[in-house]
């Protein structure tokens, strides 16, 4: 990255930090499509296998300790959770965009009916949500891409929804192993039409990669030039 690019990236990260330090509020949980909020603002969705660290990453990105909570309640796995980000001062104004916490996948013990309901909800949301600007596919860096991740990637390809692959828990893996899994993941991403070429390396616990990912989320939602 040259000096100009570094300055621009720093500006994007600063703008994203300012935005996320403002209002970020839970809006609703949607167990069915009929409960989705009106598609009035851009949405950025987060998905990943159960225990990939999705809640921790959402908390780190928004600078909150518990805006997203991991739940052991089976019913929670079937819901799309929406969070409003940024709110203009005008009374009744819509948020600038929304984060969508999608139900975790790859459950080992979930009943078939629960899994089928999850697939139907997620597939319908991905295919029919015009305001969905980007999806983040979270992958545990210690394990790399699994078959269930590939199923999600294929689903996103077929739905023509652009997505970023985010490696999580990078503080829990040796640097050489992380380099190898990053290279392998990037090579596989190139085979998917909807995958963004950049692989994001993050650690919610240590804060690594959070500022850069926050800036990428803001750019996806609001456009590259958004630096207010």
């Amino acid at each position: 990255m040259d000096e100009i690019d570094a300055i621009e990236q720093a500006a994007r990260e600063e703008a994203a930090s300012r935005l996320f330090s403002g209002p970020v509020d839970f809006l609703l949980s949607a167990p069915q499509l009929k409960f989705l909020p009106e598609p009035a603002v851009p949405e950025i969705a987060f998905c990943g296998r159960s225990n990939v660290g999705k809640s921790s990453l959402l908390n780190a990105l928004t600078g909150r300790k518990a805006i997203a909570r991991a739940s052991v309640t089976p019913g929670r796995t079937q819901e799309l959770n929406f969070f409003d980000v940024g709110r203009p001062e005008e009374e009744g104004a819509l948020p600038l965009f929304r984060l969508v916490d999608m139900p975790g996948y790859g459950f080992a013990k979930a009943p078939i009916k629960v899994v089928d309901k999850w697939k139907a909800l997620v597939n319908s949301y991905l295919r029919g949500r015009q305001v969905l600007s980007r999806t983040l596919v979270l992958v545990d860096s210690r394990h790399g891409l699994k078959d269930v991740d590939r199923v999600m990637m294929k689903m996103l390809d077929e739905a023509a929804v652009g997505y970023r692959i985010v490696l999580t828990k990078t503080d829990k893996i040796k640097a050489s192993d992380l380099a190898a899994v990053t290279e392998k993941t990037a090579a596989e991403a190139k085979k998917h039409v909807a995958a963004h070429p950049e692989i994001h390396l993050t650690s919610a616990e240590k804060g690594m990669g959070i500022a850069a990912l926050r800036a990428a989320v803001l750019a996806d939602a609001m456009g590259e030039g958004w630096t207010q």
Side-chain angles (χ1 to χ4, degrees):
M1 182 182 293
D2 60 31
E3 184 176 353
I4 294 177
D5 288 341
I7 292 173
E8 291 179 348
Q9 178 63 20
R12 285 193 288 266
E13 291 181 8
E14 183 180 350
S17 179
R18 286 198 306 271
L19 177 63
F20 279 101
S21 67
V24 180
D25 303 304
F26 174 74
L27 177 63
L28 58 81
S29 292
Q32 299 176 39
L33 291 179
K34 65 182 180 180
F35 295 110
L36 295 179
E38 288 296 318
V41 297
E43 294 173 357
I44 305 291
F46 292 69
C47 67
R49 292 190 301 121
S50 300
N51 301 320
V52 76
K54 185 155 51 69
S55 294
S56 296
L57 186 70
L58 272 164
N59 290 334
L61 282 174
T62 59
R64 270 69 175 176
K65 290 185 178 180
I67 191 170
R69 291 185 174 87
S71 174
V72 296
T73 306
R76 298 286 292 180
T77 62
Q78 302 171 41
E79 299 174 352
L80 297 166
N81 296 306
F82 289 78
F83 301 88
D84 288 347
V85 180
R87 190 172 295 281
E89 294 182 2
E90 298 85 6
E91 185 175 350
L94 291 168
L96 294 177
F97 62 95
R98 290 185 173 120
L99 303 180
V100 186
D101 184 6
M102 298 173 68
Y105 53 81
F107 346 74
K109 301 178 181 179
I112 294 296
K113 287 185 178 180
V114 170
V115 176
D116 287 345
K117 188 175 181 180
W118 172 88
K119 287 181 179 178
L121 174 64
V122 169
N123 199 29
S124 297
Y125 170 75
L126 293 176
R127 289 181 177 277
R129 198 65 171 173
Q130 294 298 320
V131 293
L132 180 58
S133 299
R134 185 83 72 182
T135 295
L136 305 187
V137 178
L138 277 54
V139 176
D140 191 323
S141 61
R142 299 170 299 179
H143 308 301
L145 290 168
K146 298 289 188 180
D147 286 343
V148 286
D149 299 312
R150 296 182 178 98
V151 169
M152 172 55 72
M153 292 164 70
K154 182 180 179 182
M155 188 183 297
L156 289 163
D157 288 338
E158 293 174 347
V161 174
Y163 57 95
R164 297 178 182 272
I165 297 177
V166 180
L167 295 181
T168 64
K169 306 182 182 181
T170 60
D171 59 307
K172 303 184 184 301
I173 181 175
K174 293 191 299 184
S176 57
D177 292 338
L178 178 59
V181 75
T182 301
E183 182 179 354
K184 186 175 181 181
T185 303
E188 190 161 345
K190 289 180 180 178
K191 302 175 184 178
H192 291 265
V193 295
H196 192 280
E198 180 181 7
I199 307 299
H200 293 267
L201 311 183
T202 66
S203 165
E205 186 175 327
K206 302 295 184 181
M208 297 174 348
I210 298 301
L213 182 59
R214 193 183 284 139
V217 166
L218 179 57
D220 288 342
M222 304 299 295
E224 287 286 349
W226 201 93
T227 56
Q228 295 183 25

